[in-house]
Amino acid sequence: GAGVSQSPRYKVAKRGQDVALRCDPISGHVSLFWYQQALGQGPEFLTYFQNEAQLDKSGLPSDRFFAERPEGSVSTLKIQRTQQEDSAVYLCASSQREGVDEKLFFGSGTQLSVL
Amino acid sequence: KQEVTQIPAALSVPEGENLVLNCSFTDSAIYNLQWFRQDPGKGLTSLLLIQSSQREQTSGRLNASLDKSSGRSTLYIAASQPGDSATYLCAVKSAGGSYIPTFGRGTSLIVHP
């Protein structure tokens, strides 16, 4: 595709509900990142994929957070039993290759509000 | 662990001024540094990417410099315009075996007519 696509754009969940956020990276991009951005803060790293392999999930805040990229393209970030502190914008980014000189391209994000 | 700081946190200037935004990082062993722009409610748009071997990059009215040894980068915006109003973020990719970019909190810029 022309850019990184994320859906839904907005998600409102009741506390305790499960949510699934989708990221469709630029076609052919090997690396995929998920970030969490609270209001007025910079993006905080959650997890990183190289193709279908999840190489780093050190930023996931709890075991309620789970991410997958089964075919090395589309990725899903799932949050179980959502809590109010999960309210944030979830950003997905991709880059063409695994490498030190690769530029990151971001989607528009999913704004999650937990009531 | 890499830490990235951006100063100032917020800036409000009249149109036409030349601006300098600062980004500092604690670990000078980096691969690259990337500057982004974020408009309200939107994702991040890449502005400039500087490799560790480079000193600066330029794109139009934007110039980014990198002083790796002192752990600093600056983004220079010439002849600012109201359309430049946005949050500017820098991200540092450290050379510690991980390719995870670390972000600062950003500088919120308002350029008023």
Side-chain angles (χ1 to χ4, degrees):
Chain A
V4 179
S5 178
Q6 291 188 247
S7 61
R9 185 72 181 89
Y10 302 95
K11 177 69 179 177
V12 178
K14 291 182 180 178
R15 190 169 54 183
Q17 276 186 332
D18 298 348
V19 298
L21 312 180
R22 176 188 169 105
C23 172
D24 200 340
I26 294 172
S27 178
H29 276 200
V30 167
S31 297
L32 186 146
F33 302 81
W34 282 99
Y35 284 84
Q36 180 190 60
Q37 186 175 27
L39 190 64
Q41 305 293 315
E44 294 283 341
F45 168 74
L46 293 176
T47 188
Y48 163 59
F49 290 87
Q50 181 181 347
N51 294 307
E52 69 278 4
Q54 189 175 21
L55 298 187
D56 192 324
K57 55 180 182 179
S58 62
L60 296 177
S62 77
D63 59 7
R64 295 186 296 105
F65 287 70
F66 171 77
E68 61 183 3
R69 193 185 184 198
E71 297 178 357
S73 55
V74 171
S75 176
T76 304
L77 176 66
K78 298 178 180 177
I79 309 173
Q80 298 176 323
R81 304 181 303 281
T82 52
Q83 304 294 316
Q84 283 189 319
E85 61 262 29
D86 300 334
S87 296
V89 176
Y90 291 84
L91 295 166
C92 176
S94 68
S95 64
Q96 189 169 16
R97 294 177 296 142
E98 169 68 19
V100 302
D101 57 349
E102 291 300 315
K103 189 179 290 188
L104 275 182
F105 296 87
F106 277 83
S108 296
T110 293
Q111 184 170 329
L112 173 65
S113 298
V114 182
L115 305 178
Chain B
K1 179 186 173 184
Q2 181 73 269
E3 293 182 6
V4 180
T5 303
Q6 291 188 245
I7 295 173
L11 190 59
S12 179
V13 300
E15 181 177 7
E17 280 204 4
N18 300 323
L19 307 172
V20 175
L21 308 182
N22 297 290
C23 172
S24 61
F25 44 95
T26 53
D27 185 351
S28 61
I30 69 169
Y31 286 130
N32 64 42
L33 184 147
Q34 193 167 353
W35 282 94
F36 294 87
R37 168 189 174 133
Q38 186 173 32
D39 292 281
K42 301 287 180 63
L44 281 66
T45 301
S46 179
L47 298 173
L48 292 164
L49 173 70
I50 310 178
Q51 305 297 347
S52 62
S53 59
Q54 297 175 324
R55 297 283 294 181
E56 65 179 337
Q57 282 285 333
T58 298
S59 176
R61 294 182 295 108
L62 305 179
N63 175 278
S65 66
L66 175 64
D67 184 343
K68 201 171 62 167
S69 61
S70 67
R72 288 194 292 188
S73 176
T74 59
L75 179 66
Y76 178 82
I77 303 176
S80 58
Q81 303 171 357
D84 295 331
S85 299
T87 296
Y88 291 81
L89 295 138
C90 68
V92 176
K93 185 179 284 189
S94 301
S98 165
Y99 295 112
I100 311 302
T102 301
F103 282 84
R105 290 188 172 187
T107 293
S108 177
L109 172 65
I110 297 175
V111 181
H112 47 87

